[in-house]
Amino acid sequence: MTFLGHVVTWFTTGSHWQGTNGIPHRAFEHVVMSGAAVGAAVLIALPPSLVLGHLRRFGTVAIRFSNAGRAIPSFAVLVLAAQVIGIGAEPAFIALFVLAIPPLVTNSYVGMADVDAEIRESAKGMGMTGWQAMWRVELPVALPVVLAGVRTAAVQVVATATLAALVAWGGLGRYIIDGLAQRDFVQVFAGAFLVALLSVLTELFLALLQRFTVSAGLTHRYRGKNEPFVGAGSLPQPA
């Protein structure tokens, strides 16, 4: 039997779909861990980034902080957290949380700061306060770029959550880690395939959600701006 034939047999074995080590349970653990990390990052990173983008202040600091976060390997964060806290869910959560922050900060700040000055002036001319203009005018306009940051963070976290298995947590990474320990490369391949599939499904789900959340005109306007920031020199200048 070929290698792919063994993989098909692995997926069609009933025991791999049942119990705490079954695919549904491991996929659920993977989604919960990823969702918790991304959700926490959204709650902590989005509000200050949106406010700074609205004010168009401290952009260089925010983006450099974000870029520094991109340079930190998730595996290094995982190891350091495990040494301080111990093995389990906590170090995995911290590593994934840190991974999710940079794209959220970058896209949220740039999306808000890049709103046309004419739109800001129109909101002011309608008698809106700064905060009213931010939430009712600027944020809807910046939403395509902001949501692109959320999508990027979510896909990165889902793909990296396999590291949780290294600190005795669950998720689909268990198939990869356990398969390597047992030299069961069919199981390793199956685990990698499941992680890749879940990452693709995450991207498709969030893209669909964005399509129904953002107007078609704004989506067309920001097409190609999923990663709008490329360096400190690209920061929008204050009006």
Side-chain angles (χ1 to χ4, degrees):
M1 183 181 294
T2 64
F3 179 80
L4 291 180
H6 287 293
V7 171
V8 172
T9 300
W10 190 93
F11 275 108
T12 54
T13 300
S15 60
H16 293 155
W17 294 87
Q18 301 172 359
T20 57
N21 197 42
I23 294 173
H25 182 76
R26 292 302 186 195
F28 176 77
E29 290 178 329
H30 203 102
V31 170
V32 168
M33 174 62 74
S34 301
V38 174
V42 166
L43 290 176
I44 292 177
L46 243 60
S49 301
L50 293 173
V51 171
L52 291 177
H54 164 71
L55 299 175
R56 308 189 86 180
R57 295 291 185 269
F58 306 107
T60 301
V61 175
I63 300 303
R64 286 181 177 172
F65 168 79
S66 174
N67 288 341
R70 293 177 189 269
I72 302 175
S74 300
F75 182 74
V77 177
L78 181 71
V79 171
L80 292 174
Q83 291 296 320
V84 175
I85 303 175
I87 62 174
E90 292 82 3
F93 173 83
I94 292 173
L96 297 176
F97 171 80
V98 172
L99 177 66
I101 292 291
L104 295 175
V105 172
T106 299
N107 281 51
S108 299
Y109 177 86
V110 175
M112 290 292 286
D114 200 37
V115 174
D116 291 341
E118 291 83 356
I119 296 178
R120 298 170 183 263
E121 290 300 324
S122 298
K124 185 183 298 184
M126 294 175 63
M128 292 186 181
T129 65
W131 294 112
Q132 287 176 330
M134 173 183 171
W135 294 112
R136 296 171 60 181
V137 177
E138 296 174 34
L139 181 57
V141 172
L143 200 57
V145 179
V146 175
L147 291 180
V150 175
R151 285 167 55 189
T152 301
V155 173
Q156 289 179 346
V157 167
V158 169
T160 311
T162 53
L163 292 177
L166 293 172
V167 288
W169 182 245
L172 297 173
R174 283 252 60 98
Y175 296 130
I176 299 175
I177 301 303
D178 294 345
L180 289 173
Q182 302 164 11
R183 298 187 63 82
D184 183 353
F185 298 112
V186 171
Q187 184 177 186
V188 173
F189 182 92
F193 174 81
L194 288 169
V195 173
L197 178 62
L198 185 59
S199 298
V200 171
L201 291 176
T202 300
E203 168 67 20
L204 293 177
F205 171 76
L206 293 178
L208 186 63
L209 181 64
Q210 179 175 338
R211 181 176 180 180
F212 286 103
T213 303
V214 180
S215 68
L218 289 176
T219 300
H220 176 75
R221 177 187 177 193
Y222 283 104
R223 186 167 296 161
K225 287 191 175 183
N226 285 7
E227 291 293 339
F229 179 77
V230 294
S234 301
L235 284 174
Q237 298 301 315

